[in-house]
Structure formats: C-alpha cells, structure tokens
Amino acid sequence: MASPQAPSRRRTARRIHATAAGAAAGLLVTGLLAAPAQARDDTGGPIGTTAGEADDARYEPGPCPKTPEPIPELKGARCGTLTVPENRAKPNGRKIELGVAIVPALAAKPKPDPIVWLAGGPGDDAVGEAKMAVDGLLNRDRDVIFMSQRGTYSATPRLTCPNIDKFNARAVGLVYDAPSTERLHVEATKACHDRLAARGNDLSAYNDTESAADYADLRAALGVKQWNLFGISYGTDLALIYMRQHPEGLRSVGIDGILPPSRAGSAATWSSARQGFDGLFKACADQPACNRRYPNLPATFDRLVRQLEAKPVTTTVTVPGQAKPVKVVLDGGALVNWMTSATHVAPQVPLALDELAHGKPQRIAQQWAGGKLSPQSVGRVAHGLAYGVFCSEWTPYESKEEALRGGQETFPSFPHSVQAQAPQLTFLRPDCDVWNVPAAPRSIRDVTRGDIPTLAISGGFDSQTGADNGPYVARTLSKAKVVTVPYEPHVVFATSKCAQKITVSFFDTPTAPDTACLKNLKPPRFETGR
C-alpha cells in the first residue's frame, strides 16, 4: 500500500528493511557448507542458471539488477532478466525488461519449491527488499526469487518520478490539504505523466493483470514446476489477483499487511487507520503508567486534529542530511498521516501527542519531515506503476461520495477538509484525472476464492492495512490461516521475530503453521517523558 515512511525507524510499508533475526541468520550460515545445494529447474540445473522461454517472454541469465545501494544479501545470488511484452494485447509491440535475483537457500538440501517475494507499494522494487527476506530467514530451506515488478527501479523502463518525490519533500512546509497544495501536487503528477508518456511508455500497461502475467511467465521460463508466494503490503493485492488469474503451480501463499483487491481504495484506508490507532490507544490505556500519564488519549488526538485543521502550527526543525533548518507546517491532515506511519514507533506516540498538546510540535514535525526529506525518498518509487494501479483498478470503482463517506463514518468528528483526503491517498482522484488511463475490467475487484493454503497475517497496530482484512479474505479461501500479531505495525515480517517464525513454519507446513510464539508477546512500554 502506498504510504508515508515511519518516523525514526527503518523505512516502512513500501520501504522496510528489517534487522530482526539477522544474528540468527549469521549463526545458521556458519553451520552450513560453504556452497549449499540448490533447488533445480526442470533441466536439472540450479534455478536461474539457464535461459528459458514462455509464450512471448524470455529469461536470460546475467548480472544482478542494479540497486541504489549495494545489497550484501545478493552476493552469491543467481541473476538475470525476464523480457516480456509491455502490453500483452500487442504481442508484437514494445518489450520491457524485469530484473531477477534468486537468493539460494541456506539449507544443504533445499526444498524444490522456491518462494517468490512480492514487494509493496505499488512501486517498490522487490530486489531492493532482499535484506528483509534474508534477515527473516525466509531462505532457510528454499530459494527466494526477487523480480522487479514492471516499471520499478531495477526494471527497464524505470517509471520513477523524482519530481513528485521532491515536491513531497517541499510540501512539508505547506498546509497539507489546502487547495493550493493540491494544485501544485497535481501539477507535479501531470509533469511526470507527460515525461513518461513522451518516452513512449504505454502507461495503461502498468497494472496488476500485466504484473501477474509477468510472474506466471517467470515461473514457466525458469522451469519451476511449483512455487510459493509471499507478498507484503500492496504485494498482497497482487498475490490475491495472481491466485485468481494463475493458480496453476501454486503450492501456498503468504500475505502480510493485507490489501484485498475488492476493498482497495480511499474508504478502506480510513477503516485501517481507525483499527491501528485504536489498537495503540487501547494498549496505552491497558498499561497503568501510560494511562495515568496520558488519560483518554483518543480524545486528545481527536482534539488536536480539529485544532490544527482550524489553525495549523508552523515550526522549524533540524533534519539529518539537511544543511539548513526545515520549515514544517502541521495541520489536521498532516497529523493524521503522521499517525498512520507513527504506529511503527508506537512507544513514542503518546509522548509525542502530549508534547504537541502542550505547545511542543518539534518531535512530530521532525519525524514528519525526516522521512520525506531523506535522500532515499527520491527517485526510487515507481509512481508510474502506482498510478497505473490506483487509476485503473481503484478510483473507477469507488465514487467520490463513497470515499468521503469512509472518512465521515470512521472519524465523524474530523473536519470535512480532513475527511475529504484519505490517509496515504491524498489528492488521489485529481491525480488520476491527469494520469488518464482506462479502467480495468470490473472483475479486477472480485474476491479471491479457492483452496490454496494461505497465511493471512497482520499486525494489531497496522493503521495502513487493517487487521480485519485477514478474516475478510479468509471467508473465501477454504485453507486460509488467519493470524494477528498483537502490538505490531504494518508488515509484521519486518518487525516481529514471532511473525518471521510463523511465516517460515507456514512454508514448511502450510496446513499447520506454528503460532506458539504468540502466547509470549507483550505490549510495548510506552515512553512517559519522566
């Protein structure tokens, strides 16, 4: 799911780099052979070492995809490129290239069915998330395959929009949901659209149906008879569509931070925000020290949203990597969006809200600006893919009235101007007006049905894709196991050792993942400033 970055923690949602279990991975590696055995393709060779074809697609072994920074976890990976039609309705048309990296299993005798990693976003590059998978020991017994989804950083063409990223950084000094901010935001979106279109990119071809077909072609071209999927955040949306459109060869599917295609849109982001906020507020209320220090935290948050929307606060903060102090404007919309990502640093949230309530906005302002002004925020997300999905699959099937109703029903006391801009999807409808791609077939919004073993795992503090999405998708998946990891934010695999253990055990035994670690989890100790 598209989302802001978590303040003062590893980048989240679309850009998460977890370090939990890193030490355990090191211990495991030292106990293995220097050159572990590898899963084999249908020619008998290690997966990814031989060329292969599937319909109009072709895989060629070659150098590993380029990443913004070196990724040590890709050392020893088997790499190459999958070439596919940009638009499968035009098989003789333009071709595009997708980078592929296959991280070998650590086990001496790996399982024959690899795991395919589906990144978040839309617009994140799966290859860049290899560290997260390895830190969580996802490659303990199986090869893990990372392919850059079409348009992302290590694909050709790369549909990134540095101008949008730079505007988002500058916008921390603007009123978040003001009409003037909307006008500048949409101008940046249109400028990127026009630049990408002028380069000959068929922007209507960057969507879930084409991406799902890319992965189906990859399986055939690699000669893999059966594999597993693991999707995070937006990658769960793609996984659920893949399950519907290409169920053949699927052994099991893990989805973490769940975004059902039938629910995707602005109204759902309001529901998710409510669930994550309420989970955090309840954890504080249940902790005597936190409850004494911050009584009735939900009312404090609600009041601050209304006050800031009526009278925004302007402050100046220092941000790492910035030579000069940064001007930050906090209004009600900015606070809601900060809170959506701040569940990743839950122990700080009550103190930060209390400081803001007492005239000290610096902590929240610094966190709000820090993520957007990070050098890692510029030129990495494929906005061309994001808007391709949003504008063909989401906005055509959710009216402006339905989107507004989501905010009104979930947070009825918020000002109309806040309710009108869904968390994470600010100005989405006018953006889609200028992106101007046709609607996908209505079937893209269908629920996914079937009996493929599925792990539907969520975090109790997830304010980006609410935990109730797990039971929702399980209603039509007869072999789904629903797990909620308490006290964890969006994408629990990135932050929870327990979630990592559950996920790895699921791929070992999809019918009976080991969830025993859930019994020992404790709430965070909230900071009190004393």
Side-chain angles (χ1 to χ4, degrees):
M1 181 82 185
S3 61
Q5 301 158 6
S8 70
R9 187 167 181 170
R10 303 233 179 234
R11 304 181 76 187
T12 62
R14 292 190 301 194
R15 297 169 286 284
I16 307 174
H17 303 288
T19 56
L27 291 173
L28 182 56
V29 172
T30 53
L32 298 174
L33 298 175
Q38 299 161 336
R40 305 280 164 171
D41 61 23
D42 57 11
T43 68
I47 296 172
T49 57
T50 57
E53 296 185 355
D55 296 328
D56 294 318
R58 179 171 179 79
Y59 173 79
E60 289 283 354
C64 286
K66 293 182 179 179
T67 56
E69 295 91 21
I71 299 178
E73 290 74 16
L74 293 178
K75 185 177 181 180
R78 304 185 297 276
C79 298
T81 302
L82 183 73
T83 302
V84 298
E86 182 179 44
N87 188 332
R88 286 177 171 80
K90 304 173 182 177
N92 297 320
R94 188 185 192 214
K95 303 288 186 179
I96 61 175
E97 296 180 351
L98 312 177
V100 178
I102 303 169
V103 173
L106 297 171
K109 294 182 179 180
K111 305 295 184 183
D113 47 289
I115 298 170
V116 181
W117 181 278
L118 302 181
D124 280 359
D125 191 342
V127 178
E129 294 179 346
K131 176 177 173 55
M132 193 200 311
V134 172
D135 281 353
L137 298 182
L138 201 62
N139 66 322
R140 187 192 68 185
D141 300 307
R142 290 173 170 80
D143 292 353
V144 181
I145 300 173
F146 303 88
M147 182 170 76
S148 51
Q149 198 177 339
R150 52 177 50 215
T152 58
Y153 188 91
S154 61
T156 303
R158 180 189 301 172
L159 303 190
T160 55
C161 298
N163 73 302
I164 292 178
D165 301 326
K166 291 176 182 177
F167 170 77
N168 288 338
R170 182 164 64 91
V172 300
L174 305 175
V175 176
Y176 182 82
D177 50 18
S180 56
T181 304
E182 175 180 342
R183 184 181 67 255
L184 294 171
H185 180 97
V186 175
E187 285 177 0
T189 301
K190 187 177 188 305
C192 183
H193 169 277
D194 294 349
R195 176 177 61 83
L196 295 177
R199 294 180 178 180
N201 299 297
D202 181 354
L203 298 181
S204 69
Y206 292 80
N207 55 55
D208 283 322
T209 296
E210 293 285 2
S211 291
D214 294 340
Y215 283 97
D217 283 346
L218 177 66
R219 185 181 70 85
L222 289 177
V224 175
K225 295 180 180 179
Q226 190 177 54
W227 67 11
N228 310 272
L229 300 183
F230 184 61
I232 63 167
S233 193
Y234 155 75
T236 67
D237 174 286
L238 178 57
L240 289 163
I241 289 174
Y242 183 102
M243 291 168 73
R244 276 195 273 123
Q245 297 180 350
H246 305 279
E248 60 278 1
L250 264 181
R251 173 179 174 266
S252 68
V253 177
I255 47 177
D256 177 358
I258 304 162
L259 179 65
S262 55
R263 277 187 168 182
S266 297
T269 67
W270 282 114
S271 172
S272 294
R274 174 97 271 176
Q275 291 174 66
F277 299 173
D278 285 353
L280 189 155
F281 293 151
K282 183 178 185 303
C284 174
D286 289 345
Q287 195 171 109
C290 188
N291 192 45
R292 283 194 302 269
R293 180 70 175 85
Y294 312 110
N296 205 359
L297 201 57
T300 299
F301 175 69
D302 183 274
R303 174 170 51 81
L304 285 169
V305 170
R306 289 184 281 110
Q307 288 179 346
L308 289 176
E309 192 67 7
K311 187 176 181 181
V313 168
T314 300
T315 188
T316 302
V317 297
T318 57
V319 175
Q322 300 295 314
K324 298 180 179 179
V326 175
K327 173 189 172 184
V328 179
V329 176
L330 294 177
D331 65 353
L335 184 63
V336 169
N337 278 267
W338 165 82
M339 183 68 181
T340 302
S341 60
T343 50
H344 289 266
V345 287
Q348 299 181 33
V349 168
L351 176 59
L353 290 174
D354 185 70
E355 288 177 343
L356 179 62
H358 288 86
K360 299 177 181 179
Q362 286 74 25
R363 182 190 298 263
I364 290 177
Q366 189 170 48
Q367 292 177 349
W368 176 239
K372 294 180 179 295
L373 290 166
S374 166
Q376 295 179 340
S377 300
V378 179
R380 302 198 184 195
V381 174
H383 295 274
L385 174 60
Y387 285 126
V389 173
F390 295 156
C391 303
S392 70
E393 303 173 23
W394 295 19
T395 58
Y397 300 109
E398 180 182 61
S399 70
K400 182 178 180 181
E401 292 71 26
E402 288 170 329
L404 176 61
R405 194 179 309 128
Q408 292 173 331
E409 292 179 350
T410 311
F411 292 95
S413 64
F414 282 3
H416 180 275
S417 54
V418 175
Q419 295 167 338
Q421 302 299 336
Q424 312 171 67
L425 299 175
T426 311
F427 309 133
L428 180 59
R429 194 163 295 275
D431 279 340
C432 285
D433 288 343
V434 300
W435 205 258
N436 192 30
V437 291
R442 182 170 287 275
S443 59
I444 201 70
R445 305 283 296 188
D446 289 349
V447 298
T448 299
R449 303 177 185 277
D451 60 359
I452 298 169
T454 304
L455 173 67
I457 189 167
S458 305
F461 287 176
D462 189 343
S463 55
Q464 293 164 266
T465 56
D468 72 341
N469 285 328
Y472 175 82
V473 298
R475 297 180 311 163
T476 53
L477 297 172
S478 62
K479 295 182 180 178
K481 172 68 174 179
V482 177
V483 175
T484 298
V485 183
Y487 319 122
E488 291 293 336
H490 185 58
V491 182
V492 292
F493 189 87
T495 57
S496 166
K497 290 183 179 180
C498 180
Q500 293 165 0
K501 291 177 182 177
I502 292 170
T503 302
V504 173
S505 75
F506 167 76
F507 289 118
D508 284 344
T509 313
T511 56
D514 182 0
T515 60
C517 61
L518 293 171
K519 299 177 182 178
N520 301 318
L521 298 181
K522 297 180 180 179
R525 178 170 296 180
F526 293 96
E527 297 179 17
T528 62
R530 293 177 178 174

